[in-house]
Amino acid sequence: MKVLSQNTAFGGMQGVFAHDSEACKGEMTFAVFVPPQAIKEPRPVLWYLSGLTCSHANVMEKGEYRRMAAELGLIVVCPDTSPRGNDVPDEITNWQMGKGAGFYLDATEQPWAENFQMYSYVTEELPNFVSQHFRMDMSRQGIFGHSMGGHGAMTIALKNPERFKSCSAFAPIVEPSTADWSMPAFEKYLGADKAAWREYDACALVADGARFPEFLIDQGKADGFLDNGLRPWLFEEAIKGTDIGLTLRMHERYDHSYYFISTFMDDHLKWHAERLG
């Protein structure tokens, strides 16, 4: 593990690290906040997945999570959103594809399949790696994220209910297989057969039988992406008739930015802490 930076915050440690990823065939960067309680005992782990165009740095610098994470004793891990590097395929003029837009799936189509294995990276390789270096209680894991990362968190939780005890999202893409800003990426990553897309679509996963105890979703009503990209009401409709719980909070005047995320970050951290024990 390569140490890129380490800083003390609220009695804990905020670090940025890099390692060679077998899944993504290159060096990957991630951030970890370790609360002061981890000096004495393993602590619960909360995974935060960022959105399109972002990296680990966006929430680390603007998410305002460290004070509450230190108070609650939560380790917060923030992976990157995609592989990086000069040899990684990209569409430079398309912010919805390539670097910064991994969609937390395992690509099957060329030229993306070689590097864009973000589902395997986030669910298998990175947890196995970080658990060797930090005092984590891997029996108590939660996951949350923003936008594309909210999509990732919800689909990962639905597919791994035995691993995660909590899941929440800020303005998630709940049905990416029909959203304007994700359909083209899904076709390029996964091919034209939309049956393959269902594995990475929260609404489709529920329709196909996937279950998770409950979700917390916060959404701003002034979000410019609400009607053609996010559409949380579709997930509300998808879980009708199931035992999945949903707390959906729609907020007047809030947009898609980190001003919105930082406003409700404490609520999400407390939500996870209650469920992680």
Side-chain angles (χ1 to χ4, degrees):
M1 185 170 68
K2 183 188 300 183
V3 179
L4 302 182
S5 67
Q6 284 184 302
N7 299 94
T8 300
F10 298 99
M13 184 278 298
Q14 176 66 70
V16 180
F17 308 94
H19 73 124
D20 290 328
S21 167
E22 182 177 341
C24 297
K25 302 295 187 293
E27 186 175 82
M28 294 291 289
T29 302
F30 62 94
V32 181
F33 176 71
V34 182
Q37 296 91 330
I39 295 173
K40 296 182 179 180
E41 61 181 2
R43 300 304 303 171
V45 187
L46 189 53
W47 300 85
Y48 180 88
L49 306 184
S50 289
L52 286 162
T53 76
C54 294
S55 70
H56 69 280
N58 296 73
V59 69
M60 187 182 78
E61 296 169 358
K62 297 181 287 187
E64 301 182 19
Y65 59 84
R66 278 175 289 271
R67 180 188 61 81
M68 185 56 65
E71 180 179 321
L72 298 171
L74 296 172
I75 294 174
V76 182
V77 184
C78 309
D80 202 347
T81 54
S82 76
R84 309 278 178 172
N86 294 332
D87 297 330
V88 174
D90 194 19
E91 292 186 1
I92 298 174
T93 60
N94 182 5
W95 61 275
Q96 298 168 333
M97 189 69 198
K99 295 177 186 177
F103 278 95
Y104 304 101
L105 51 75
D106 284 347
T108 56
E109 300 298 301
Q110 298 301 328
W112 312 102
E114 179 71 13
N115 303 99
F116 284 77
Q117 301 293 308
M118 288 301 296
Y119 178 82
S120 292
Y121 175 71
V122 169
T123 62
E124 297 175 16
E125 185 177 24
L126 187 58
N128 290 337
F129 183 78
V130 295
S131 63
Q132 299 175 37
H133 295 275
F134 302 96
R135 193 166 289 173
M136 298 177 168
D137 183 351
M138 300 301 280
S139 69
R140 294 187 289 168
Q141 297 185 65
I143 190 166
F144 67 150
H146 170 229
S147 194
M148 177 185 72
H151 136 76
M154 293 176 69
T155 56
I156 288 171
L158 283 163
K159 293 168 69 172
N160 299 274
E162 74 291 340
R163 177 185 301 185
F164 296 99
K165 295 184 179 297
S166 57
C167 181
S168 70
F170 302 98
I173 310 171
V174 301
E175 194 175 84
S177 63
T178 64
D180 292 347
W181 64 347
S182 48
M183 288 177 62
F186 269 44
E187 183 167 0
K188 291 174 183 177
Y189 285 138
L190 300 171
D193 183 1
K194 292 186 178 182
W197 303 9
R198 299 182 68 83
E199 188 177 350
Y200 303 105
D201 183 302
C203 290
L205 284 167
V206 170
D208 293 343
R211 295 292 182 265
F212 196 77
E214 58 181 336
F215 295 90
L216 167 64
I217 295 177
D218 276 311
Q219 173 66 61
K221 289 187 177 181
D223 191 324
F225 303 113
L226 179 58
D227 292 330
N228 65 353
L230 308 173
R231 306 171 298 165
W233 50 83
L234 295 181
F235 189 71
E236 191 173 33
E237 184 66 26
I239 65 170
K240 286 183 177 179
T242 75
D243 57 355
I244 298 173
L246 174 63
T247 301
L248 173 59
R249 307 192 302 184
M250 303 293 294
H251 303 280
E252 298 286 349
R253 304 189 305 280
Y254 283 94
D255 58 17
H256 201 67
S257 71
Y258 269 87
Y259 296 110
F260 157 64
I261 295 169
S262 62
T263 299
F264 299 103
M265 178 61 77
D266 282 4
D267 290 353
H268 283 245
L269 294 174
K270 291 175 182 177
W271 165 277
H272 289 279
E274 289 174 0
R275 287 150 183 80
L276 295 176

